Amino acid sequence: MSGILALHHLDGRPVDPTDVQDMASLLQRRGPDGTGLWHEGPVGLGHTLLATTPKLAFERQPVVDNASGCAITADVRLDNRDELLATLDLEDRATDSGDAWLILAAYLKWGEACVERLLGDFAFALWDGRARTLFCARDHFGMRPLYYHHTPWQLLAVGSEPRAILVLEQIPYRINEGRIADALVGELESIDLTSTFFEGVYRLPPAHVLVATPEGVDIRRYWTLEAGDELRLPSTDAYAEAFLEVFTEAVRCRLRGAGRVGSMLSGGMDSGAVVAVARELLAEAGAGPLPTFSAIGPDPSACIETRTIHAALTMDGLEPHLVSHDRLEELQPELLDASLAVGEPFDAHMTLLRAVYLLGHRRGIKVMLDGVAGDVVLSEGSHLVRLLRSGRWATAVREAVGQNRFWGGGYPAWRELYRGGRSALAPNAVRRAYHRWLRRRRTQRRLQRALRESWIDPGFAERIGLAERLQSTDRYRSIELLPHYGAERARAIVHPNLVVGRERYDRVAAALAVEPRDPFLDRRIVELCVALPGDQKLAGGWPKAVL
């Protein structure tokens, strides 16, 4: 992940170059491969480079178009470069054009609508000197971070991390006490898509743009994950082939690197699938082996994940790197330094993940693939409930029994059928009434549990409105069974839970100059998975059946 920053004096005052330099200095760890600064009149842009694609190694940012007076700084990997170059009639620039330059060219052609044509992971700030407008955007699922502060009629500051904004003297450094409570009560990490630990500093939500003019700041959504018609194919094999085709392309796009690309390899299906496809693509290109990075336990007989990792490592074309949780001293002192310099309190316990990224960093890896979003993108959701509601009881029983078998007895079939039947038979009106009653009852219980299990003082809890914060998370709960299965899955995928998880991975990785990439959050994969029928998510008790 490179670091980007923008400073716009909305009142027209010239930007002090020292301010831009100070902001960039706080992003050096994110982008240690070079720093670029640009300022003109009331605006300044900056970029700290982590050279993770071939073009980034040669593209000097910020990129400036002298003819139009436009300039851009971007943390970006575009996956539809060829399509954009062809549409813009710029195919002769394929070899010498970077992704930031390509976004700028798209903006000059389509204006703010350019963001609707971008595919990949990105966050950028683009200054339009003609319209005196700063245009910022964040990718569809929040793989690249973007923070901002706005003082009406005075300034807008944008950066890849809050620290790059708070370094400015004119921006007050005040702790957001509500977010402190969120950190102490685990379920509140995903309370929203905007708040940070600092008052007046906000996250730009995924799939949103920010447009700043001297008159004010406008934030709007540019893309929504919509559920179309359910995908109907003739066989299970046909679904698997369709998935593999799109998934392979998603992995291929994320293998585009300026050096060797590595991958996490856990004991699960998600990172295992990424590794299986990536090693084949590298072998076809004559570019293997694929470096893999895994956290294991010292005794495989006591840890099924450790055993599964060792089994996965029997695949050809891999270069394994292992870190055992009983031998973390081998990664000192860097691991201790990184652990003490956590980006947010939410990251404090991510020691093994931090160790994996550190091991990759030591091996010269700047890009690390993972499968973090697989559990969400391929979750079966209400499939069992829908089987019962549609009268397919025999199938529902088979799935419940198979699910219990798959999880080793952890999901008793009678319990899953009882819960599913209760949800299937209850009309939505009854569900809404029950939810209102349960909400009042549950809020007080949740508050008491939070006070009992966390370090929160009752007076502090009352001052920051902890009960209201707990209650506000109910807006993300599924009250009604949506008529369309795909719409339900789309709503689950864009839940803040997934976004805050990806933001955590970004903070931990960026502190060690590593860029995470997740093929399961390729927009093409997500749209395909939303269209899959339930029996491709749960079949014979197997979760993520198509995978």
Side-chain angles (χ1 to χ4, degrees), residues 270-428:
D270 305 322
S271 62
V274 172
V275 166
V277 171
R279 73 183 182 100
E280 290 191 358
L281 290 172
L282 291 176
E284 290 172 4
L290 173 70
T292 63
F293 297 85
S294 309
I296 61 171
D299 181 9
S301 67
C303 177
I304 189 172
E305 186 153 350
T306 298
R307 295 197 300 273
T308 310
I309 289 169
H310 284 300
L313 289 174
T314 62
M315 288 189 287
D316 295 331
L318 303 184
E319 179 190 297
H321 301 274
L322 306 174
V323 55
S324 180
H325 66 67
D326 67 330
R327 301 181 63 180
L328 294 182
E329 69 276 2
E330 296 176 359
L331 295 174
Q332 302 291 9
E334 299 104 303
L335 182 59
L336 180 59
D337 292 342
S339 298
L340 293 175
V342 294
E344 293 191 2
F346 296 119
D347 311 338
H349 68 283
M350 301 181 75
T351 305
L352 273 181
L353 179 66
R354 192 171 288 111
V356 169
Y357 281 131
L358 175 56
L359 190 60
H361 175 72
R362 283 187 172 186
R363 299 296 188 273
I365 298 296
K366 292 183 179 181
V367 173
M368 187 85 76
L369 308 184
D370 61 57
V372 170
D375 283 341
V376 178
V377 172
L378 282 169
S379 171
E380 71 272 11
S382 67
H383 177 54
L384 192 65
V385 175
R386 293 174 189 274
L387 288 175
L388 292 166
R389 176 170 277 197
S390 63
R392 299 171 63 192
W393 298 340
T395 303
V397 169
R398 285 198 301 271
E399 292 298 344
V401 171
Q403 199 171 26
N404 186 51
R405 186 188 310 117
F406 178 88
W407 293 108
Y411 288 80
W414 68 266
R415 187 183 67 187
E416 298 305 304
L417 290 169
Y418 169 72
R419 290 176 175 174
R422 188 175 60 186
S423 296
L425 296 174
N428 281 333

Side-chain angles (χ1 to χ4, degrees), residues 152-329:
W153 309 106
Q154 295 183 40
L155 69 85
L156 173 75
V158 176
S160 296
E161 298 181 8
R163 67 180 72 201
I165 296 172
L166 293 165
V167 71
L168 299 172
E169 290 184 0
Q170 57 267 50
I171 297 178
Y173 192 106
R174 294 192 296 263
I175 297 296
N176 176 4
E177 289 190 336
R179 200 60 175 153
I180 296 295
D182 296 344
L184 296 175
V185 181
E187 65 180 291
L188 292 179
E189 181 180 4
S190 57
I191 192 171
D192 60 35
L193 291 166
T194 58
S195 60
T196 72
F197 283 89
F198 307 97
E199 291 186 6
V201 178
Y202 303 96
R203 295 133 67 207
L204 182 66
H208 279 68
V209 297
L210 181 155
V211 183
T213 66
E215 287 71 39
V217 168
D218 177 45
I219 296 174
R220 60 177 174 81
R221 176 179 288 277
Y222 67 82
W223 176 82
T224 301
L225 179 58
E226 300 283 1
D229 294 334
E230 188 171 85
L231 181 63
R232 288 294 179 187
L233 297 178
S235 66
T236 297
D237 286 346
Y239 282 110
E241 290 168 7
F243 180 87
L244 181 59
E245 180 181 357
V246 181
F247 187 68
T248 299
E249 185 58 26
V251 174
R252 188 194 313 276
C253 290
R254 283 153 185 79
L255 284 173
R256 183 163 70 98
R260 300 183 75 195
V261 174
S263 181
M264 291 189 178
L265 179 60
S266 73
M269 288 190 288
D270 305 322
S271 62
V274 172
V275 166
V277 171
R279 73 183 182 100
E280 290 191 358
L281 290 172
L282 291 176
E284 290 172 4
L290 173 70
T292 63
F293 297 85
S294 309
I296 61 171
D299 181 9
S301 67
C303 177
I304 189 172
E305 186 153 350
T306 298
R307 295 197 300 273
T308 310
I309 289 169
H310 284 300
L313 289 174
T314 62
M315 288 189 287
D316 295 331
L318 303 184
E319 179 190 297
H321 301 274
L322 306 174
V323 55
S324 180
H325 66 67
D326 67 330
R327 301 181 63 180
L328 294 182
E329 69 276 2

